[in-house]
Amino acid sequence: MCDSYKRIRVQPEYYSLSFYDASVGGFHAEKNGKFGIIDQNAIQIMPFISEGKPITIIGEDYIVFDGFDFYNYSRKTKERMNRLVPNPFPPIQDRGFVQKGNVQYDDQLKRTSLDDEDLQMIEPFDNDNYQISYKKNCLEIASGKELIGIYVPKLKKIFKDTPEMAYVDVQPYNGKLYILTTDPSGLFGMVDEDLHDIYPIKYTSITLMNGTNTVILSEPDPANPDQLIFKTILPNNKILEGEFYPGAQILRNGYPFQLYYKMINGQKNYAGEDGTLYFEG
């Protein structure tokens, strides 16, 4: 994987990498037939111990397959606990992979995903003059090297590019879909399905972490163009400086209290849901 400046963040040493999975706070990576979980800097969140199946989370535990059975692993200590009670369905179903038997498929649209109304909508572009690429939540339409726009099946809408702005992708968040935009600057913004501005075009990345109700933004550092400034928006609209991911949930004064973490020099530094920083250093 690389960042928006094409700098390598994760070296090409894995047999497979999933999409970002917010439920585990990282990417499912496969090495030597075993799966683990890494973050965007290839720092290991969960070791490579699951035989042939990605690690998922049920309740408060990681679920790991040892080649014969599924076992619960502690999210805090990473230690193996009890055997998972058998389930008639595979317990692996994350954002990065879709399980079909023993085969993994990228979770992206296909022509068979489209209904009659979708096919009618894209009919003007379904010929030799255009190319249609299937993505996770939309279809990208191009003519030669020129991008035309995107079609979003769930919205039954085509978003056509203009000389000033292009529509490049779709992200789900809290039951709604949001459209990623860009312009000749190469930076990104976001609009809703009615084209109302959500974020202006000034960010190098916009990540809506569906399921955890957090948003991670990055933008160029004015003082150092080679560096990025990250900020994380929590569900209560508190803003944390840096790239934070959901961590453990603890009790404070008898009530659930969510912790978030970011990695500094290989160590987790925490912040609370109220924005308080812990173990910063």
Side-chain angles (χ1 to χ4, degrees):
M1 292 191 295
C2 65
D3 61 20
S4 58
Y5 292 102
K6 301 182 180 179
R7 295 175 299 197
I8 297 295
R9 300 287 291 273
V10 176
Q11 295 294 328
E13 58 182 284
Y14 303 102
Y15 181 78
S16 67
L17 278 172
S18 75
F19 294 101
Y20 180 80
D21 181 2
S23 70
V24 299
F27 302 86
H28 299 277
E30 181 184 4
K31 182 187 288 187
N32 299 324
K34 295 185 177 183
F35 281 89
I37 303 170
I38 62 172
D39 69 9
Q40 74 279 2
N41 295 312
I43 295 172
Q44 185 173 279
I45 297 175
M46 189 68 181
F48 290 81
I49 56 174
S50 188
E51 292 280 355
K53 297 180 182 294
I55 298 169
T56 190
I57 285 180
I58 296 180
E60 294 298 318
D61 300 330
Y62 288 114
I63 306 300
V64 174
F65 185 64
D66 71 350
F68 299 96
D69 287 303
F70 291 96
Y71 285 87
N72 296 74
Y73 276 69
S74 169
R75 290 182 67 179
K76 292 183 179 180
T77 65
K78 309 297 191 295
E79 293 179 350
R80 179 163 152 170
M81 299 187 297
N82 56 301
R83 178 174 172 269
L84 183 69
V85 176
N87 190 307
F89 300 100
I92 308 296
Q93 182 67 31
D94 59 73
R95 182 180 169 192
F97 294 99
V98 171
Q99 295 289 329
K100 296 184 180 179
N102 295 321
V103 182
Q104 292 164 353
Y105 294 82
D106 286 337
D107 186 11
Q108 66 180 23
L109 293 169
K110 301 176 178 63
R111 190 175 182 86
T112 54
S113 309
L114 307 181
D115 60 25
D116 290 341
E117 186 177 353
D118 295 325
L119 295 175
Q120 186 176 2
M121 291 289 293
I122 65 171
E123 185 177 6
F125 307 100
D126 195 12
N127 54 62
D128 292 340
N129 295 321
Y130 298 93
Q131 300 82 46
I132 296 177
S133 301
Y134 292 82
K135 305 179 75 173
K136 185 176 176 64
N137 294 296
C138 66
L139 279 62
E140 184 181 77
I141 303 170
S143 177
K145 295 183 179 180
E146 180 185 359
L147 295 177
I148 304 299
I150 60 174
Y151 172 66
V152 184
K154 286 186 178 180
L155 299 178
K156 306 301 184 190
K157 284 186 177 182
I158 292 177
F159 296 84
K160 288 188 177 181
D161 296 348
T162 69
E164 295 77 29
M165 187 170 66
Y167 303 97
V168 294
D169 207 352
V170 178
Q171 293 191 38
Y173 189 74
N174 280 347
K176 296 183 179 180
L177 294 178
Y178 295 90
I179 318 302
L180 196 66
T181 61
T182 190
D183 64 11
S185 72
L187 299 175
F188 296 99
M190 186 166 282
V191 298
D192 65 14
E193 61 184 84
D194 297 315
L195 302 184
H196 298 139
D197 284 336
I198 303 299
Y199 294 109
I201 298 178
K202 70 170 191 173
Y203 298 100
T204 55
S205 66
I206 300 173
T207 304
L208 307 183
M209 299 181 66
N210 195 33
T212 63
N213 297 333
T214 54
V215 178
I216 298 178
L217 305 172
S218 70
E219 57 185 302
D221 184 348
N224 187 348
D226 292 330
Q227 298 294 324
L228 297 177
I229 297 175
F230 285 88
K231 66 179 179 181
T232 302
I233 304 174
L234 302 183
N236 57 8
N237 290 323
K238 294 281 185 181
I239 297 177
L240 299 175
E241 299 299 325
E243 196 172 4
F244 281 84
Y245 296 93
Q249 188 177 77
I250 62 174
L251 291 178
R252 192 176 76 165
N253 299 325
Y255 294 95
F257 185 75
Q258 181 67 49
L259 293 178
Y260 299 85
Y261 72 90
K262 66 178 178 180
M263 303 300 297
I264 298 180
N265 298 324
Q267 301 294 321
K268 289 184 177 181
N269 287 242
Y270 289 90
E273 64 181 39
D274 60 355
T276 302
L277 298 177
Y278 303 97
F279 317 121
E280 189 72 44

